[in-house]
């Protein structure tokens, strides 16, 4: 046997080697070649887009500051069938793939939304009604709570948390353990692999305060994927395939798969910036109950913001919906204008975070969509 995969090994900062600051920018462009297992999809027909740039967008100071950031990779803003602004970093290109990170969670929103419209899922039902083996943290909470990141468990989205040894039942569990389930890092020596559903089902409930703050946790998305499968009677792969076809993506879409072959919708997607914009247009076109509800002002309070809510696996300020992704990704959709803005960047700080960065991204994209 050869030595362990160096990309998936763990460094002193408790990150997988591919995700260290010096390697992150390149790794985000080839995550489909790094993860242990993956699935790929092609749409049968492409949604055509024509370039018709809006000159006013290029003069927005907040947007230009964003494009001047060293972290910047790509920005594509579309309305209907028109690309109204497109910019790429000098080391990027229109056909370049990029990790979506948690923007992938919008696949769960789209798949579940269709089931809600069909009457196959009732968000007020307990998760255990659909998935009896959902485990202590999830079985007795409502699907709506999972959609809103309103579940209290022993999991914390801590990127620097230790991944070994395996915590005892009920002990705090960090994101590093989730990455083992996702196939983004190897398990500790002597420990068997496990999938995202086994990981989520092994979490333990914790006390939940009444502050309605978003308790962001990626295993919530994996649990929703399980609900989608059980309620529809179809495997999750077929739902992803359906979304790709309906969005009319141009390039191949890649997504990580766990050791059980389950698509990792919590963060495993990889696509081009143009295709992310097409994905946003699908959210706008689909409409539906969950979208209207996400725009209503309901949901958990996101990140201490007085205006942002997390509802139905979407972030919203009441006008747009969207989703952030680790280290600098963002998708913003204005359903009323049938417009979307797809933004890729890579923060090369130690843990891929910078105070105030997403606030800057959101503010710039808001102004851009308001000018359309």
């Amino acid at each position: 046997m050869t030595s362990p995969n160096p990309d998936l090994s763990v460094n002193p900062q408790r990150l997988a080697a591919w995700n260290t600051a010096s390697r992150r920018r390149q790794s985000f462009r080839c995550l489909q070649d790094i993860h242990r297992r993956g699935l790929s999809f092609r749409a049968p027909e492409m949604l055509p887009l024509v370039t018709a740039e809006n000159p006013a967008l290029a003069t927005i100071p907040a947007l230009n500051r964003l494009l001047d950031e060293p972290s910047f990779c790509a920005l594509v803003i579309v309305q209907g069938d028109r690309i109204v602004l497109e910019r790429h970093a000098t080391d990027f290109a229109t056909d370049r793939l990029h990790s979506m990170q948690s923007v992938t969670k919008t696949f769960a929103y789209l798949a579940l939304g269709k089931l809600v419209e069909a009457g196959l899922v009732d968000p007020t039902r307990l998760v255990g009604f659909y998935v009896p083996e959902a485990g202590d943290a999830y079985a007795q909470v409502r699907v709506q709570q999972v959609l809103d990141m309103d579940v209290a468990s022993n999991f914390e989205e801590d990127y620097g948390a230790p991944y070994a040894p395996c915590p005892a039942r009920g002990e705090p569990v960090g994101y590093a353990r989730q990455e083992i389930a996702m196939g983004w890092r190897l398990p500790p020596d002597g420990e068997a692999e496990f999938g995202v559903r086994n990981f989520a089902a092994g979490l333990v409930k914790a006390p939940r305060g009444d502050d309605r703050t978003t308790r962001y946790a990626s295993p919530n998305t994996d649990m929703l994927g399980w609900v989608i499968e059980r309620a529809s009677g179809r495997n999750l792969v077929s739902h992803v395939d359906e979304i790709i076809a309906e969005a009319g993506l141009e390039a191949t879409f890649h997504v990580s798969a766990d050791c059980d072959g389950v698509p990792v919708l919590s963060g495993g997607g990889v696509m081009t910036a143009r295709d992310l914009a097409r994905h946003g247009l699908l959210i706008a076109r689909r409409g539906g109950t969950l979208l209207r509800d996400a725009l209503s002002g309901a949901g958990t309070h996101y990140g201490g913001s007085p205006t942002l809510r997390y509802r139905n696996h979407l972030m919203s300020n009441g006008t747009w919906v969207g989703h952030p992704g680790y280290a600098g990704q963002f998708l913003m959709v204005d359903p009323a204008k049938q417009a979307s803005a797809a933004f890729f960047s890579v923060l090369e700080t130690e843990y891929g975070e910078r105070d105030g960065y997403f606030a800057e991204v959101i503010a710039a994209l808001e102004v851009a969509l308001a000018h359309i």
Side-chain angles (χ1 to χ4, degrees):
M1 297 290 288
T2 59
S3 60
N5 184 328
D7 286 323
L8 304 180
S9 61
V10 178
N11 76 341
Q13 283 73 46
R14 297 172 171 172
L15 297 171
W18 64 267
N19 191 28
T20 51
S22 63
R23 297 180 58 181
R24 188 177 297 127
R25 189 174 180 89
Q26 180 58 34
S27 295
F28 271 39
R29 298 168 183 188
C30 60
L31 187 58
Q32 70 277 6
D33 300 321
I34 294 173
H35 56 206
R36 291 285 317 280
R37 304 169 185 87
L39 302 164
S40 61
F41 300 81
R42 292 300 301 268
E45 296 181 20
M46 179 190 71
L47 177 69
L49 296 174
V50 297
T51 300
E53 290 219 349
N54 181 341
L57 298 180
T59 66
I60 297 173
L63 207 56
N64 285 321
R65 284 194 295 272
L66 205 60
L67 303 183
D68 287 339
E69 285 272 358
S71 58
F72 172 68
C73 293
L75 171 65
V76 179
I77 302 177
V78 297
Q79 183 179 34
D81 64 349
R82 297 175 298 117
I83 299 174
V84 295
L85 185 71
E86 182 170 29
R87 297 290 185 270
H88 294 87
T90 55
D91 63 347
F92 208 74
T94 58
D95 61 350
R96 193 88 191 242
L97 295 168
H98 197 283
S99 173
M100 300 162 66
Q101 294 292 310
S102 283
V103 182
T104 316
K105 290 177 169 66
T106 56
F107 275 79
Y109 153 77
L110 284 166
L112 199 65
K114 203 161 192 177
L115 299 181
V116 170
E117 295 298 320
L120 295 175
V121 171
D122 178 355
T124 67
R125 288 268 195 184
L126 298 179
V127 172
F129 173 80
Y130 299 100
V131 184
E133 62 269 55
D136 186 73
Y138 290 102
Q140 295 302 308
V141 301
R142 302 190 185 281
V143 173
Q144 189 67 62
Q145 291 175 261
V146 187
L147 278 165
D148 296 353
M149 297 287 182
D150 194 14
V151 178
S153 75
N154 59 323
F155 178 85
E156 291 187 18
E157 196 95 355
D158 179 359
Y159 301 119
Y163 92 124
C166 176
R169 179 174 171 80
E171 290 297 309
V173 178
Y175 184 77
R177 300 289 300 178
Q178 166 87 2
E179 285 195 343
I180 300 171
M182 296 165 74
W184 285 11
R185 66 172 75 196
L186 298 173
D189 289 342
E191 185 177 349
E193 281 194 87
F194 49 88
V196 292
R197 291 175 181 173
N198 285 340
F199 178 67
L203 298 176
V204 174
K205 63 185 175 184
R208 176 66 167 106
D210 58 2
D211 59 0
R212 294 290 292 158
T213 299
T214 306
R215 293 180 63 94
Y216 194 88
S218 287
N220 290 345
T221 311
D222 302 316
M223 186 56 66
L224 289 176
W226 209 349
V227 170
I228 290 163
E229 249 186 32
R230 292 292 178 80
S232 67
R234 297 192 284 129
N235 65 38
L236 194 56
V237 170
S238 70
H239 291 272
V240 174
D241 190 49
E242 187 175 79
I243 290 167
I244 296 304
E246 192 174 346
L249 301 193
E250 178 179 13
T252 302
F253 170 71
H254 302 272
V255 65
S256 305
D258 73 0
C259 60
D260 298 315
V262 175
V264 180
L265 299 189
S266 53
V270 179
M271 65 170 66
T272 67
R274 283 187 178 182
D275 278 345
L276 182 57
R278 287 182 172 94
H279 181 74
L281 288 177
L282 175 58
I283 292 173
R285 273 199 314 276
R286 275 265 193 103
T289 302
L290 291 191
L291 181 63
R292 291 191 295 271
D293 188 41
L295 290 165
S296 72
T300 55
H301 298 255
Y302 190 87
S305 167
T307 58
L308 295 179
R309 300 291 183 268
Y310 197 93
R311 182 71 164 178
N312 297 331
H313 251 48
L314 294 171
M315 180 193 289
S316 181
N317 75 338
T319 298
W320 55 261
V321 296
H323 211 287
Y326 167 71
Q329 325 321 314
F330 207 91
L331 174 65
M332 183 178 288
V333 180
D334 186 329
K337 293 185 174 182
Q338 292 291 296
S340 76
F343 182 75
F344 285 147
S345 66
V346 181
L347 290 169
E348 296 174 281
T349 56
E350 185 176 23
Y351 291 107
E353 299 172 316
R354 192 180 86 194
D355 287 347
Y357 183 72
F358 275 116
E360 295 170 20
V361 172
I362 289 170
L365 297 184
E366 280 182 339
V367 173
L369 291 182
H371 275 69
I372 293 178

